[in-house]
Amino acid sequence: TPDDITDWQKIAKTPGNKETLAGFAMSRGLDQSVLQHYATTKGELTTVGKTRLLKAEGHQFKPTTPDDITDWQKIAKTPGNKET
């Protein structure tokens, strides 16, 4: 759940933390491989994890269009862009 993801983030980023992602997953009855899909062992969110939390907060995403892809290609090819 989103709460499991945010709880893991807090625990993993706590100074002196000894809990492992595997141990945390086991204590919550979670599949470790699924949790790793959303967060790293250091508590950082993956791209999928960021999206999951945004959706849990009510953010809605629109389908990607061909124009979106073309725009992204232009941004990605621009020297010094801050998006890639």
Side-chain angles (χ1 to χ4, degrees):
T1 68
D3 289 339
D4 292 316
I5 297 167
T6 55
D7 288 350
W8 170 247
Q9 282 186 286
K10 292 173 192 168
I11 290 168
K13 292 181 177 185
T14 301
N17 169 54
K18 302 283 187 218
E19 177 105 52
T20 64
L21 186 135
F24 175 81
M26 186 182 304
S27 73
R28 298 283 180 106
L30 304 171
D31 182 327
Q32 177 184 343
S33 66
V34 173
L35 182 57
Q36 286 177 314
H37 193 64
Y38 299 115
T40 68
T41 57
K42 296 184 186 279
E44 300 297 327
L45 291 175
T46 64
T47 302
V48 175
K50 290 175 187 175
T51 302
R52 174 81 189 260
L53 293 183
L54 284 171
K55 285 182 178 180
E57 294 170 358
H59 185 87
Q60 294 183 358
F61 295 90
K62 67 177 185 69
T64 303
T65 66
D67 288 340
D68 294 328
I69 295 169
T70 301
D71 291 346
W72 177 248
Q73 286 175 323
K74 290 175 187 172
I75 291 168
K77 290 179 181 177
T78 304
N81 81 76
K82 305 256 191 239
E83 299 293 326
T84 58

